[in-house]
Amino acid sequence: MNNLNTGTIKERTFDAIVIGSGMSGGWAAKEFTEKGLKTLVLERGRDVKHIKDYPTANKFPYEFEHRGEMPLNVRLANPLMNRFYGFKEDAAHFFVKDAEHPYVQEKPFDWIRGYQVGGKSLMWAKATQRWSNFDFEGPARDGFAVDWPIRYADLAPWYSYVEKFAGIAGNRDGLKQLPDGEFLPAFPLNAVEDYFRIQLNERYEHRHVISERVAHLTKPNPIHLEQGRGQCLTRNLCHRGCPVGGYFSSNSSTLPWAERTGNLTLRPFSVAHSIIYDEQKNKATGVRVIDTNTKDVIEYYASVIFVNAGALNSNLLLLNSTSSKFPEGLGNENGLMGKFVAFHNYSARISAEFEGLKKFTTVGRNPAGGGYMPRFRNLFRQETNFLRGYAAGFSAYRSSEVDSSGTGAGLKERLLYPKVGPWKIGSHMMGETIPKETNMVTLDPDQKDNWGIPLLKISVVYDNNDEKMKQDYFDQFSEMLTATGFKNIETHNSTQNPGMDIHEMGGIRMGKDPKTSLLNKWNQLHACKNVYVTDGACMTSTSTQNPSLTFMALTARAVDHAVTQLKRGDI
């Protein structure tokens, strides 16, 4: 690698540097630039421009060479990525390839990544739920992890702030465990989903099926039209990139908004090697970058640095940012960095059939995927032999029955006009895993990647609590489905590795005490106040809700704090 500092130091100096352009990085960019700060956003992958770089967005199935499936040689070359449902011919270009970005699996872990401008905001499922005080108070109440330094009241106005800009479809359901937000009209439940909702309300307390809350513009407000986004067309082809901006992504929303201010500099093909720490000034002064293609080393400087590289990459970056004061990683005085990694357990599913409501069928595509069942276990008291709980998806559809017997014109006719079969339902668990010190990431002492950076070593596993929770999900859903008239109930244990949920969190957790956490209540490193971490790495626990909305809210809140601190000269 060549040390190549292109241009003068002045040309490489900004007010703020944001590392990563995905869900939280895009929000950091928007907030800094709107507040007048000259901001550099570093992205290790290629540039992806909204609309222009969605090559498959409007293709018909017959236009794909392999009708959507990946060729055998590609699947064999990417055994890890091939296990992920989204790695298909229409979206594979948004996923990293196994051989190009290796890591060390001390325990089996499927690390799903998208290295491009926009990151995984181009690939997410768009489910967006607020956390409640059940979640923020969980560790203190249940005795796991450490106490969160914030509560729901601290984040509630920031949830509202980001919801209004991003556009979230949902209903005001009035549930204590799932606070309501600033919603656009929800996607409706279909007949069987609504039937299950009604039956649960009659039979169980605190068990609810609601319309899934998602980041889709069902009815755009002026702020969304100002972003250049349009109403969701319910094509349900979001994974290809949405040309109308019907769902929220960095590419369609926050990054273009930041660019309009004239304060944004976006640098793709920039691998963040380490954060530069000045021991005389007792603060970070910049970021050391390796050009992805040339492998030249360039240093950029700023007064404040936001780390938004994605949970595990943010751990890698800070662990690799060493100095004589921080030999084990920037801010890692207590040796906890990289530890207490947690995730969501998606390995349990259940299916069933329903014989009623045959006068109804399903038409079109619902981007929300149907219903959502918020957590109902261990909410108001500890009632099971495991800690915490799980949420669940619940969707119903009318199946098709195709007679493929015979040949010729008769066969063609039967294939063209299939008969409508019974209703079928599917549900999946999203279980909260307990952060443990033994679930960790470290730097491999010997192996390095193509840019000379140590490979990340991942040691993360399920535990007995996860198994007990999974069994409870099977038992409770089997009971509820039986009680409400569903038949042919089958449980499915996918035995998938941790990581396939793509909700990895922790390693640089927030907390009140510098002895037991890395970040304070404003997402600042305890030991280096001008470095903030607001992606999944900052999370103290995982709750059962999808985490992206919380990342957005934490980021907007942290930028507001950072700018205030900069103006006061406190960082």
Side-chain angles (χ1 to χ4, degrees):
M1 292 182 292
N2 299 316
N3 286 302
L4 178 68
N5 279 329
T6 57
T8 65
I9 290 179
K10 184 178 180 180
E11 291 173 326
R12 290 180 281 110
T13 300
F14 298 82
D15 298 318
I17 294 176
V18 178
I19 303 169
S21 63
M23 197 71 70
S24 60
W27 267 99
K30 170 193 174 293
E31 295 301 300
F32 275 127
T33 56
E34 267 193 320
K35 296 176 189 300
L37 277 68
K38 297 295 183 182
T39 305
L40 172 66
V41 174
L42 299 169
E43 168 56 52
R44 69 178 295 152
R46 65 189 176 97
D47 196 5
V48 172
K49 295 294 186 188
H50 180 52
I51 304 176
K52 174 179 175 290
D53 293 319
Y54 305 153
T56 64
N58 294 316
K59 282 190 173 184
F60 290 99
Y62 58 80
E63 295 183 90
F64 292 97
E65 183 179 359
H66 307 100
R67 298 300 188 267
E69 294 301 316
M70 297 300 291
L72 179 61
N73 64 322
V74 177
R75 287 189 278 129
L76 293 176
N78 296 275
L80 186 160
M81 207 57 64
N82 186 57
R83 290 195 287 272
F84 184 64
Y85 69 90
F87 190 66
K88 301 294 183 184
E89 198 172 18
D90 59 352
H93 48 281
F94 290 141
F95 294 85
V96 305
K97 305 303 183 288
D98 289 11
E100 294 173 6
H101 300 282
Y103 62 99
V104 180
Q105 297 186 61
E106 196 164 67
K107 307 282 177 61
F109 186 92
D110 293 338
W111 190 10
I112 309 300
R113 291 160 290 167
Y115 291 160
Q116 64 262 323
V117 169
K120 288 183 289 189
S121 77
L122 286 169
M123 304 145 62
W124 68 312
K126 286 85 62 188
T128 42
Q129 307 102 11
R130 292 188 181 198
W131 284 31
S132 72
N133 269 336
F134 288 107
D135 306 301
F136 288 110
E137 295 174 357
R141 187 184 75 171
D142 298 348
F144 69 95
V146 296
D147 190 11
W148 276 87
I150 61 173
R151 292 295 187 260
Y152 175 70
D154 297 302
L155 213 53
W158 296 101
Y159 276 133
S160 292
Y161 178 76
V162 300
E163 285 167 343
K164 290 175 183 177
F165 190 84
I168 309 300
N171 290 316
R172 300 186 67 81
D173 300 296
L175 304 178
K176 291 182 179 179
Q177 68 269 43
L178 200 71
D180 292 326
E182 312 291 337
F183 295 139
L184 304 174
F187 289 97
L189 298 174
N190 65 36
V192 169
E193 293 162 357
D194 199 49
Y195 164 83
F196 189 52
R197 176 189 68 81
I198 294 169
Q199 294 297 312
L200 283 188
N201 288 344
E202 292 178 354
R203 288 174 167 81
Y204 299 91
E205 187 179 15
H206 306 307
R207 301 193 185 190
H208 306 276
V209 173
I210 65 172
S211 174
E212 176 66 282
R213 300 171 182 178
V214 286
H216 284 261
L217 300 182
T218 50
K219 186 178 180 181
N221 286 329
I223 187 62
H224 307 124
L225 300 177
E226 193 177 345
Q227 295 171 43
R229 299 167 61 197
Q231 183 170 331
C232 172
L233 302 177
T234 64
R235 303 189 316 155
N236 210 14
L237 298 175
C238 318
H239 54 285
R240 301 182 184 183
C242 181
V244 300
Y247 74 83
F248 172 83
S249 70
S250 295
N251 307 68
S252 67
S253 181
T254 48
L255 289 177
W257 193 268
E259 188 174 23
R260 290 179 206 169
T261 67
N263 293 323
L264 175 70
T265 300
L266 175 64
R267 194 182 198 281
F269 296 116
S270 300
V271 179
H273 174 278
S274 54
I275 294 174
I276 304 165
Y277 182 78
D278 189 316
E279 298 189 21
Q280 302 301 315
K281 297 179 180 179
N282 291 316
K283 65 178 183 178
T285 55
V287 181
R288 187 169 293 110
V289 168
I290 301 174
D291 187 283
T292 307
N293 299 314
T294 68
K295 299 185 180 178
D296 291 325
V297 179
I298 310 170
E299 293 179 353
Y300 294 96
Y301 306 98
S303 300
V304 62
I305 298 165
F306 266 54
V307 181
N308 302 97
L312 300 190
N313 271 324
S314 289
N315 276 274
L316 189 162
L317 173 64
L318 290 188
L319 286 168
N320 199 47
S321 300
T322 58
S323 61
S324 57
K325 181 174 181 179
F326 299 113
E328 301 301 321
L330 180 61
N332 190 23
E333 293 180 313
N334 55 23
L336 294 179
M337 188 172 288
K339 299 178 180 179
F340 297 99
V341 170
F343 53 100
H344 282 144
N345 183 356
Y346 271 82
S347 64
R349 298 178 180 85
I350 196 163
S351 63
E353 293 184 357
F354 186 69
E355 292 298 329
L357 296 173
K358 289 186 176 179
K359 65 179 179 179
F360 298 104
T361 187
T362 47
V363 177
R365 302 180 176 99
N366 183 352
Y372 175 80
M373 193 167 180
R375 175 184 160 200
F376 59 89
R377 297 299 258 169
N378 301 329
L379 268 178
F380 303 100
R381 60 185 176 86
Q382 182 64 37
E383 59 187 342
T384 71
N385 63 349
F386 58 86
L387 287 177
R388 312 304 289 152
Y390 49 84
F394 181 88
S395 61
Y397 64 97
R398 197 75 188 269
S399 61
S400 304
E401 294 179 349
V402 179
D403 181 358
S404 58
S405 63
T407 60
L411 171 60
K412 290 180 182 180
E413 185 73 12
R414 287 189 292 275
L415 293 177
L416 283 172
Y417 299 101
K419 295 180 180 179
V420 180
W423 283 93
K424 295 190 176 183
I425 69 98
S427 173
H428 66 272
M429 179 185 83
M430 189 165 79
E432 177 171 0
T433 66
I434 305 303
K436 300 183 293 297
E437 189 169 5
T438 51
N439 273 355
M440 68 175 74
V441 296
T442 56
L443 301 185
D444 190 275
D446 303 310
Q447 302 180 74
K448 298 184 184 298
D449 65 16
N450 291 331
W451 301 276
I453 298 173
L455 295 188
L456 194 67
K457 183 187 296 184
I458 303 177
S459 182
V460 174
V461 295
Y462 297 114
D463 64 13
N464 190 46
N465 197 73
D466 300 322
E467 293 304 316
K468 290 177 179 177
M469 187 183 297
K470 183 189 299 188
Q471 188 58 52
D472 189 78
Y473 165 80
F474 287 145
D475 293 343
Q476 295 301 313
F477 266 77
S478 295
E479 174 196 301
M480 289 186 289
L481 291 170
T482 299
T484 53
F486 290 83
K487 307 292 183 182
N488 299 324
I489 300 166
E490 296 183 359
T491 60
H492 309 273
N493 185 347
S494 74
T495 67
Q496 65 192 47
N497 295 329
M500 192 59 72
D501 53 278
I502 331 180
H503 289 175
E504 57 267 14
M505 289 174 260
I508 314 174
R509 68 183 180 184
M510 299 171 70
K512 298 176 180 178
D513 188 348
K515 294 180 181 178
T516 58
S517 61
L518 283 304
L519 305 170
N520 66 14
K521 66 179 181 179
W522 302 109
N523 294 81
Q524 293 171 289
L525 280 174
H526 288 302
C528 187
K529 298 293 187 182
N530 69 329
V531 174
Y532 291 69
V533 182
T534 65
D535 62 10
C538 77
M539 304 296 274
T540 305
S541 60
T542 73
S543 86
T544 61
Q545 287 88 294
N546 295 68
S548 293
L549 185 67
T550 299
F551 300 165
M552 297 184 215
L554 286 170
T555 301
R557 177 177 180 268
V559 171
D560 184 72
H561 179 265
V563 173
T564 300
Q565 295 293 295
L566 282 171
K567 290 179 178 177
R568 291 176 180 172
D570 291 338
I571 59 174

